[in-house]
Amino acid sequence: MSGIRDRVLSTLAGQLGRPHGLFGKGVAHFLNLGNKAMIESSVRAADPAHGARVADIGFGGGVGLTLLLDAVGADGVVHGVEVATDMLTRARAAHTAPITAGRLTLTEGSMTSLPLETDSLDAAITVNTIYFVPDLDTAATELARVIRPGGTAVIGIGDPDTMSRIPLTRYGFTLRPVPDVIAALERAGCKVEHRPVAHKPIPYHLLIARPN
């Protein structure tokens, strides 16, 4: 019985890291619902101006793309970067108008090798993604690289102590202490503001990084 449970939880954890197939459609819906509060907070913390160039890195179900498009307005540009090809296909079907207008660009890529030019973004968000990134320092360096001087990157993560009590996170998740994530961003040359947010059922943390 425990073997079946392990397989189910491992499969679900894998879907959260890279949603795909028929099951992935349900996971995308779950991600939009479960992550929306943190994504909304991340967009507010990034505070992009109208006309800004921004990105949602690891956009999953895609709700962050819509929020960023609204935030930067008709003259802004949003880049969506996602490792899961099925989520890219889903987002392309859902956002044909802004893609055609040149307001939204969707690209396959990982946090450790971002398909974006150096100093090309005014702001970026990435929410509930770093659990699935083995090399945190490289991810932090890449994030700092693509943000222009004076820009802002926001990493949103669930409280690791709370998440460690969820059985699912024992499968494929790397739950890092918040100070470790802050330290990686600082090593990448960023000044970091930490905003803990009380939220049920899982509190979360916003790490607001600004390249020095």
Side-chain angles (χ1 to χ4, degrees), residues 2-191:
S2 63
I4 295 173
R5 178 176 179 271
D6 286 346
R7 286 196 295 273
V8 169
L9 290 175
S10 178
T11 297
L12 181 53
Q15 282 283 350
L16 291 173
R18 190 189 292 258
H20 58 276
L22 186 60
F23 193 21
K25 293 180 180 179
V27 170
H29 180 68
F30 169 80
L31 290 173
N32 279 343
L33 289 176
N35 292 342
K36 188 174 182 181
M38 196 190 305
I39 295 170
E40 288 174 335
S41 294
S42 297
V43 172
R44 287 195 298 269
D47 193 25
H50 280 266
R53 300 182 69 88
V54 301
D56 186 351
I57 300 167
F59 59 78
V63 67
L65 300 175
T66 300
L67 293 172
L68 287 172
L69 284 165
D70 290 343
V72 301
D75 295 325
V77 175
V78 176
H79 294 271
V81 178
E82 175 56 56
V83 70
T85 55
D86 283 7
M87 294 300 98
L88 283 161
T89 300
R90 183 179 187 274
R92 286 173 181 139
H95 297 284
T96 54
I99 291 171
T100 301
R103 297 181 57 224
L104 176 63
T105 300
L106 301 175
T107 312
E108 185 173 356
S110 71
M111 288 190 68
T112 53
S113 183
L114 292 173
L116 297 165
E117 297 294 327
T118 299
D119 296 342
S120 60
L121 300 177
D122 299 297
I125 67 169
T126 185
V127 173
N128 281 339
T129 53
I130 65 167
Y131 323 123
F132 308 106
V133 176
D135 188 344
L136 181 59
D137 276 311
T138 298
T141 298
E142 276 291 273
L143 195 58
R145 177 185 67 80
V146 300
I147 301 294
R148 66 167 179 77
T152 303
V154 180
I155 294 179
I157 57 171
D159 180 71
D161 291 336
T162 303
M163 291 188 66
S164 69
R165 296 193 289 270
I166 301 171
L168 175 66
T169 62
R170 299 169 194 162
Y171 301 83
F173 283 67
T174 300
L175 301 178
R176 300 175 173 93
V178 173
D180 288 5
V181 184
I182 293 173
L185 290 167
E186 290 175 340
R187 286 192 294 271
C190 296
K191 181 178 180 180

